[in-house]
Amino acid sequence: MLKKLKAQLKKNNVTTSLSAKAAIVNRPQNRIASLLIEKGLLPYIEEACSLLDIDCQIIECVAALVRQDGKDFCLHELDMRQIKDINYLFGGYILPDIDSIYIAQYVPDRFIKPRPKIMQLTSGELLFNVLHELRHAWQFKYHHEQFYTKNAIGNECINDPAEIDADAFAIAYLFSEKTPFNLNDVPVIAPDICYQSSLDGNKRWDGAEKLAHEYELFTDVKSLKLKAPMIIKSAIYGRK
């Protein structure tokens, strides 16, 4: 998510505020989280940075990212006592002015009824969220005035140009010939991607098709779009 940095440093054993000051104080030794490297995602991250012509970001994996009491925090351990409402968990966060990205390992599956359940993201889902945040870094570097006029949160993200563009890039790259991933590899976020795409007037699909052409990626966006209604239906009626 794109955030205006107002939070002050606030740290205990399991939480750190998401702010430039906190990120600098707690900067990891390695630029790319070891978890992402262990999962074999480093080559895709480096290539995406090259395609976007941006510096490789400092990417840290944390247990969870949560918005509470008007501030955003990362949880280094999944401690439910620190989470007031799991609906305020989210998958990625960027501090663009210091090239830092946070990626959550756990997010809520909002299609599980009657109450969302916290799920661990797959390798494909972690990469999708990294790609999404890398596109935000591109927006910040090259089109700041166009994309950084508003900080969208919650349902505002559905029609927010910055979020649509970031999702479109992640779709175009993740489901291209560059990676081995398909919709089956992103079981938690696939329904959310498809659902938002159905509400935004196909802007995410159209954007993905355009970006695939721009970056010479072979992404079958039309096939993804055709599968979307069934994925949404399966998520709504099949999740328990």
Side-chain angles (χ1 to χ4, degrees):
M1 295 289 183
L2 304 175
K3 293 297 297 179
K4 293 180 180 178
L5 307 179
K6 294 183 179 179
Q8 294 181 342
L9 178 63
K10 178 182 180 182
K11 183 179 181 182
N12 54 36
N13 291 332
V14 294
T15 67
T16 303
S17 66
L18 290 169
S19 67
K21 182 178 180 181
I24 292 171
V25 169
N26 299 285
R27 180 148 289 185
Q29 292 182 343
N30 300 318
R31 290 193 67 86
I32 307 298
S34 59
L35 176 65
L36 301 177
I37 296 174
E38 291 167 5
K39 289 181 175 292
L41 302 180
L42 181 58
Y44 309 126
I45 295 170
E46 291 179 336
E47 184 177 35
C49 289
S50 178
L51 281 176
L52 294 170
D53 195 19
I54 58 173
D55 295 330
C56 191
Q57 309 288 293
I58 295 173
I59 305 175
E60 183 175 357
C61 278
V62 296
L65 297 165
V66 61
R67 179 172 296 112
Q68 292 182 162
D69 301 323
K71 295 183 179 180
D72 296 327
F73 299 90
C74 63
L75 305 184
H76 302 288
E77 301 172 8
L78 190 62
D79 185 347
M80 297 305 296
R81 294 172 300 179
Q82 301 289 328
I83 303 173
K84 295 179 182 179
D85 186 344
I86 67 172
N87 286 299
Y88 287 96
L89 293 174
F90 51 96
Y93 189 102
I94 186 170
L95 297 168
D97 54 343
I98 58 168
D99 296 336
S100 289
I101 288 173
Y102 293 87
I103 299 296
Q105 298 178 55
Y106 295 88
V107 300
D109 186 336
R110 296 183 176 85
F111 285 89
I112 295 179
K113 304 298 182 182
R115 188 174 185 271
K117 181 180 179 181
I118 292 180
M119 304 291 286
Q120 186 172 13
L121 295 182
T122 65
S123 296
E125 289 167 330
L126 291 172
L127 181 57
F128 181 94
N129 287 340
V130 171
L131 294 168
H132 178 104
E133 300 304 329
L134 289 177
R135 186 64 175 184
H136 281 320
W138 174 89
Q139 294 167 357
F140 184 83
K141 181 176 181 179
Y142 294 107
H143 299 280
H144 186 276
E145 295 299 322
Q146 177 182 351
F147 290 109
Y148 274 72
T149 58
K150 182 181 180 182
N151 175 39
I153 59 174
N155 289 334
E156 294 174 346
C157 294
I158 295 172
N159 288 299
D160 180 72
E163 295 301 321
I164 290 172
D165 179 69
D167 276 347
F169 177 76
I171 292 167
Y173 188 93
L174 185 71
F175 301 119
S176 72
E177 84 290 357
K178 299 289 187 180
T179 85
F181 301 112
N182 57 50
L183 284 171
N184 294 326
D185 298 312
V186 290
V188 176
I189 68 173
D192 194 50
I193 297 169
C194 294
Y195 184 63
Q196 291 195 55
S197 299
S198 71
L199 296 177
D200 70 9
N202 292 319
K203 292 177 183 176
R204 280 169 171 79
W205 298 131
D206 293 343
E209 199 161 26
K210 179 181 178 181
L211 291 175
H213 178 75
E214 178 180 342
Y215 292 112
E216 298 182 343
L217 301 169
F218 296 99
T219 313
D220 191 353
V221 178
K222 291 181 180 178
S223 177
L224 296 172
K225 183 178 176 181
L226 288 172
K227 294 176 182 177
M230 183 57 68
I231 290 173
I232 297 170
K233 184 177 179 180
S234 297
I236 292 174
Y237 296 106
R239 301 287 177 92
K240 295 180 180 180

